[in-house]
Amino acid sequence: MGNLLEVEDLAVEFDTPQGPLRAVRGVSFEVGEAETLAIVGESGSGKSVTAQTLMGLVPLNARVAGGRVAIEGRDVVGLPEREWRELRGERIAMIFQDPLSALNPSLTVGYQIAEMFRRHRGTRRAEARRKAAELMAQVGIPDAERRLDDHPHRFSGGMRQRVMIAMALALDPRLLIADEPTTALDVTVQAQILRLLRQRQQAQRLGMILISHDLGVVARAADRVAVMYAGRVVETGTVAEVYERPAHPYTLGLMRAVPDPRDIGAELEAIEGQPPDLAAPPAGCSFHPRCPFARDVCRTDDPAPRELGPRRASACHFAEEVSPNAGRG
Ligand code: SF4
């Protein structure tokens, strides 16, 4: 099975008056068909900038400073905006935490979904409307035909997120990025939306990247996890490997900071100290000022990610010590 998405050594920098701020530093991962990779980390860890870069939406004062991103084998870094507009929606789509900011409040949801078909496929008006109703029914919006003519504010938060998912999936993309898709919703609705995403993913064999700071959501929805800290991926593995045998002190801290990281709502918090200033990160391992395992070498040598098993890695000099069984499946 080939990878739908390959990210290799990606670096993204922001220009600031103090000099370049390295928001993403040498990030690598891949996503296969029907697979969900969760990217977890505190705010400022680089997970959202990574997601934006994958959509060709690098912020204006930032640039890709190195590395490779390939969508279905095609290198996409540096593509002109005209080509990105074709890729977005068709090959890779995104849903956000707040659908209201992504939907146009002055247009009916039916119009907005139908517009995807009209703009990208030249579908005629009546047919596009029929397809929009079909999609809305598929994502579980009751009475879809009638609700086509409602504006976004007439929908509850959960129903709006369903509309957003319908729009994202309209053109049958191969990859979906979900950036905190359930954060604004209550726990019951969160579970419904996660179930829906899983169903659609399996039905369409989608590769999915789930950006989240909620360990419970990740445990429910993901197959694999990449933990980000200070612009780096510091640990990767399956959900079971990372949750049960964390092999990086930062991940270990995250797991210990919450009573049961598998509960929805189990947010990342309470590790002592602050993430580093990325305009002036500390020498050596950027986690060393907060790390209970730190030794002299950590203050001078930045650890590269090291393989501990198949698709299992940790960027810690002492990974085996943190979790003696980290490499075992
Ligand atoms: Fe901690 Fe050192 Fe591992 Fe960094 S390399 S996480 S400072 S033990």
Side-chain angles (χ1 to χ4, degrees):
M1 186 176 70
N3 290 318
L4 294 175
L5 175 71
E6 284 168 5
V7 177
E8 272 173 35
D9 216 12
L10 180 68
V12 182
E13 291 183 358
F14 282 78
D15 294 318
T16 73
Q18 291 74 40
L21 183 152
R22 300 169 66 208
V24 176
R25 307 185 291 151
V27 160
S28 301
F29 54 79
E30 70 285 319
V31 180
E33 206 172 85
E35 179 177 64
T36 299
L37 172 74
I39 303 182
V40 299
E42 293 163 298
S43 44
S45 61
K47 56 192 197 310
S48 287
V49 178
T50 301
Q52 287 169 323
T53 306
L54 300 181
M55 289 293 290
L57 299 169
V58 183
L60 271 184
N61 59 338
R63 65 175 179 283
V64 176
R68 172 174 179 260
V69 176
I71 297 176
E72 296 178 280
R74 178 183 179 192
D75 287 335
V76 295
V77 169
L79 277 189
E81 178 55 24
R82 175 176 40 82
E83 292 186 40
W84 265 116
R85 274 201 294 270
E86 279 166 28
L87 276 180
R88 277 187 223 118
E90 296 270 2
R91 314 313 300 165
I92 184 164
M94 188 159 178
I95 57 174
F96 305 88
Q97 176 178 336
D98 176 15
L100 262 193
S101 63
L103 293 166
N104 185 328
S106 62
L107 298 171
T108 65
V109 301
Y111 179 89
Q112 293 185 64
I113 301 174
E115 198 51 21
M116 300 288 294
F117 297 111
R118 288 169 57 74
R119 196 155 24 97
H120 283 259
R121 302 271 158 83
T123 311
R124 299 171 79 95
R125 192 179 297 269
E127 172 67 1
R129 191 176 154 86
R130 188 191 62 72
K131 281 172 166 267
E134 198 177 284
L135 260 174
M136 280 171 63
Q138 266 174 18
V139 297
I141 297 175
D143 208 3
E145 187 94 32
R146 191 181 57 77
R147 302 228 61 190
L148 283 172
D149 297 320
D150 283 339
H151 289 80
H153 71 268
R154 307 266 306 175
F155 289 77
S156 66
M159 285 295 153
R160 269 200 297 268
Q161 194 54 288
R162 287 175 192 263
V163 170
M164 195 68 242
I165 293 170
M167 274 180 81
L169 300 182
L171 303 174
D172 221 357
R174 303 298 293 122
L175 280 157
L176 179 68
I177 300 178
D179 190 358
E180 306 278 4
T182 61
T183 304
L185 306 172
D186 71 48
V187 170
T188 318
V189 182
Q190 281 193 8
Q192 291 166 357
I193 294 293
L194 292 179
R195 221 170 15 248
L196 168 67
L197 280 173
R198 198 63 162 176
Q199 280 164 2
R200 298 315 311 162
Q201 178 188 36
Q202 295 303 323
Q204 296 177 220
R205 309 287 300 156
L206 279 171
M208 190 156 98
I209 293 185
L210 173 69
I211 312 277
S212 185
H213 64 282
D214 184 329
L215 295 171
V217 164
V218 170
R220 278 204 189 196
D223 302 300
R224 288 167 51 239
V225 187
V227 181
M228 282 191 77
Y229 183 77
R232 284 245 155 105
V233 172
V234 294
E235 178 164 3
T236 48
T238 63
V239 168
E241 286 166 343
V242 172
Y243 279 52
E244 284 159 24
R245 298 182 295 283
H248 191 283
Y250 178 61
T251 320
L252 190 67
L254 296 180
M255 297 300 160
R256 285 192 178 155
V258 290
D260 184 348
R262 286 170 199 264
D263 284 349
I264 278 190
E267 296 194 3
L268 311 187
E269 55 184 332
I271 296 182
E272 264 186 46
Q274 294 295 321
D277 174 3
L278 291 177
C285 172
S286 41
F287 190 56
H288 86 249
R290 303 170 80 183
C291 181
F293 291 78
R295 296 187 207 158
D296 286 349
V297 64
C298 306
R299 293 177 190 95
T300 52
D301 293 10
D302 193 4
R306 201 151 45 80
E307 266 193 32
L308 304 170
R311 303 178 94 196
R312 174 97 176 102
S314 163
C316 172
H317 293 305
F318 304 108
E320 287 80 0
E321 222 169 281
V322 179
S323 175
N325 298 319
R328 291 197 202 145

